[in-house]
Amino acid sequence: MNSQIKNSLKFSLTIAVITFVLAAIFSVISSSILGEVMWMIGLVIVFLIVLMGVIFDMLGIAATAASESPFHAMAAEKVHGAKEAVAIIRNADKFASFCNDVIGDISGIVSGTASAIVVLQIANLFGEGEGSSIQIILSVILTSLVAAITVGGKAIGKFFAIHSSTSIIFFAGKLISIIENKFKIKVLPKNKK
């Protein structure tokens, strides 16, 4: 097996383990938070989870669409975030996989679970339980609304990701620079020439 296939398999296994852990964490946190709040706040949380998925999807697409050349002069002048932007673009496949597949897909799954909790809370307000006609109608409406906002949001995000990839990746580079420098958390691998 050549080294590229080995590296790809290693990355795939690593990303699968990270996805498992993050999905478990997000599910536990969202379920426990949603169980303790009013349905209106739960609905806001559902839409925040959807928004997170849309933003990360946009970041992943922007990484694959961006060119690193605008960031070289900035990196030479030590502009914060430029070196990280170059690292994002050079690792666009892994960055996009993490943003689109890990965070984006987890957001979709968790928003579905969270929607179900909110639907049950609303149905309980009407004195209706699981399996009632009100619960089924609410479930169809909320699931459809979440799906429409997710797909529509990702479509708009893709437009911005393709047409404003440089600014989006520069902003992401600045955020990563802050995380790496202020909090000493390594997010990106070192640049390879």
Side-chain angles (χ1 to χ4, degrees):
M1 222 185 283
N2 69 28
S3 65
Q4 286 181 329
I5 294 173
K6 284 182 183 177
N7 287 339
S8 179
L9 289 173
K10 182 180 174 186
F11 176 73
S12 298
L13 182 61
T14 303
I15 211 80
V17 171
I18 290 170
T19 302
F20 179 82
V21 171
L22 287 177
I25 290 169
F26 289 154
S27 291
V28 168
I29 290 172
S30 67
S31 295
S32 48
I33 289 173
L34 288 169
E36 302 296 322
V37 298
M38 291 178 9
W39 69 269
M40 287 182 285
I41 295 171
L43 201 55
V44 170
I45 291 170
V46 168
F47 290 123
L48 288 175
I49 293 168
V50 169
L51 180 63
M52 183 174 72
V54 168
I55 289 170
F56 274 86
D57 187 72
M58 182 175 65
L59 284 170
I61 299 296
T64 60
S67 168
E68 68 179 81
S69 56
F71 299 109
H72 288 295
M74 289 189 276
E77 294 175 13
K78 307 269 191 240
V79 174
H80 289 291
K83 180 179 72 170
E84 290 78 10
V86 170
I88 289 170
I89 295 165
R90 287 186 179 172
N91 293 283
D93 58 336
K94 293 177 181 171
F95 187 81
S97 182
F98 178 78
C99 290
N100 297 80
D101 301 332
V102 176
I103 303 298
D105 292 351
I106 288 172
S107 296
I109 293 164
V110 172
S111 67
T113 304
S115 296
I117 293 170
V118 171
V119 164
L120 286 174
Q121 288 175 333
I122 297 170
N124 287 336
L125 284 177
F126 290 108
E128 301 289 332
E130 192 171 344
S132 68
S133 57
I134 288 179
Q135 185 265 330
I136 292 169
I137 291 167
L138 288 170
S139 180
V140 168
I141 291 170
L142 189 56
T143 302
S144 301
L145 183 60
V146 166
I149 292 171
T150 300
V151 172
K154 286 185 177 188
I156 292 169
K158 281 177 178 58
F159 173 84
F160 286 114
I162 291 168
H163 293 90
S164 302
S165 59
T166 302
S167 353
I168 291 169
I169 294 305
F170 187 45
F171 180 75
K174 285 181 181 179
L175 284 178
I176 290 171
S177 174
I178 291 168
I179 292 168
E180 289 188 341
N181 296 322
K182 301 281 185 207
F183 301 108
K184 306 297 182 205
I185 299 170
K186 190 71 183 146
V187 176
L188 295 169
K190 291 187 179 186
N191 283 343
K192 296 177 197 163
K193 300 231 173 184

